[in-house]
Amino acid sequence: MELTLDGVSKHYGETTALAGLSATVGDGEFFTLVGPSGCGKTTTLRLLAGFEEPSAGEVRFDGESMAGVPPEDRGVGLVFQSYALFPHMTVAENVGYGLRFAEVPGGVSTDERVAELLELVDLEGMGPRDPTELSGGQQQRVALARALAPGPDLLLLDEPMSALDARLRERLRRDVREIQRELGVTTVYVTHDQAEALAISDRVAVLSDGRLEQVGRPRELYRRPSSRFVAEFLGENNVFEGSVVDASGPADETEGSAVRVAGREFRLPPVGAASVAFCVRPAAFEVDAGENRLTGEVLDTEFLGETTRVHLQWEGRRVVVAVDDPPEGGEVTVGFDPEDAWVL
Ligand code: ATP
């Protein structure tokens, strides 16, 4: 099922929760909405589910307007942050709940369908149990099975992992991804966790203040952010602002530009403006190497196993670099190459 949001806005009195959001989610795609608290993620999901109607714009499923179509007629499966399982029902009854109102997919009995789903989420034989007898991760699997049982065309997941601890979250997100691929169900996932968004998605939409900042594949967003907001929101980044001292014309594109930041000149890819903001990821820096060097004072080091994150004080600003075996204190010179800088 292909999903379209066409200039969708949502106002609550004076508050604008969404301001003209347009996006298309392809059939079978895993599409993630990510952004800080209050940026409009849950509102978008509620509009897709049909719990709310847009103030302007349109939601379409396979080209068909969803205006006035109630939630139960949209063929949508939902999983929320809180497991929201029915406590007075067994696991099997929970999974079978949605099948009471829908045709059981695959022409099998309700019991067979429930067994199928429990197997899919790796909970075979747990059907007779009470939800309270399950761990948080298992309860969330039941919630997923319940949402998938009627064979929805669209799966909506609102921060489904946020109540789980880090290890369990990673495991469950791999499983969710695998199940989603196996079923090929179009999925919209909401999270405020940028690392999770990058890890799980086919494409990610970064929202800020009810607007779309950027949409793209995880690698593309990470490597080529279109704005300072995206550069800083997705993973750690160093953003520098400077003035271009020799704007190179199109004739010598290979030359690049010299950009002055805090009295120091850096060589960057060609910049066609007088002033510029650019970002350099912590991992792009090396100690005593790279064309563009800076010497800073070590403020703090964090050993992370694979690498060490070092916070440097340089010309009144903080620069974060990820390097092997850095000095514990004092001054250190680090550098990056022009191609590691991304001009915003
Ligand atoms: P979070 O990550 O904190 O859940 P979110 O990105 O999901 O945030 P939304 O819940 O979509 O954000 O809210 C977007 C904006 O709309 C916020 O400013 C919020 O206060 C406002 N809002 C959401 N629902 C309502 C409502 N029913 N009435 C009034 N304002 C609302």
Side-chain angles (χ1 to χ4, degrees), residues 28-34 173 177 180-181 187-191 193-205 216-219 221:
E29 195 173 20
F30 198 112
F31 190 84
T32 298
L33 300 169
V34 69
R173 96 177 167 215
R177 185 63 174 128
Q180 188 270 344
R181 277 211 185 105
T187 300
V188 180
Y189 187 85
V190 159
T191 181
D193 182 339
Q194 48 84 24
E196 194 166 279
L198 293 175
I200 202 171
S201 318
D202 289 319
R203 278 190 310 149
V204 177
R217 299 197 168 273
R219 255 169 231 282
L221 292 191

Side-chain angles (χ1 to χ4, degrees), residues 141-266:
R141 283 166 198 274
V142 176
L144 181 63
R146 183 178 60 184
L148 291 171
D153 297 322
L154 177 64
L155 180 62
L156 302 177
L157 305 165
D158 192 356
E159 306 250 7
M161 327 273 185
S162 57
L164 308 175
D165 70 60
R167 197 171 279 265
L168 206 53
R169 215 156 56 214
E170 275 180 31
R171 161 93 204 275
L172 188 61
R173 96 177 167 215
R174 279 198 302 275
D175 291 351
V176 165
R177 185 63 174 128
E178 202 180 302
I179 291 167
Q180 188 270 344
R181 277 211 185 105
E182 193 176 322
L183 301 178
V185 59
T186 308
T187 300
V188 180
Y189 187 85
V190 159
T191 181
H192 64 273
D193 182 339
Q194 48 84 24
E196 194 166 279
L198 293 175
I200 202 171
S201 318
D202 289 319
R203 278 190 310 149
V204 177
V206 182
L207 298 183
S208 149
D209 278 340
R211 292 174 193 282
L212 190 62
E213 280 279 334
Q214 193 176 358
V215 57
R217 299 197 168 273
R219 255 169 231 282
E220 185 183 320
L221 292 191
Y222 190 81
R223 293 189 182 153
R224 302 191 185 89
S226 62
S227 64
R228 181 170 189 147
F229 179 84
V230 176
E232 291 181 328
F233 187 76
L234 294 177
E236 213 159 10
N237 220 338
N238 298 290
V239 178
F240 300 93
E241 283 172 6
S243 48
V244 179
V245 286
D246 73 346
S248 45
D252 56 347
E253 252 178 37
T254 49
E255 283 290 295
S257 299
V259 172
R260 188 171 290 140
V261 182
R264 237 202 118 72
E265 267 182 32
F266 292 119

Side-chain angles (χ1 to χ4, degrees), residues 12 15-17 35-44 52 159 192:
Y12 296 104
T15 310
T16 299
S37 184
C39 70
K41 305 182 293 293
T42 298
T43 301
T44 308
E52 310 266 5
E159 306 250 7
H192 64 273

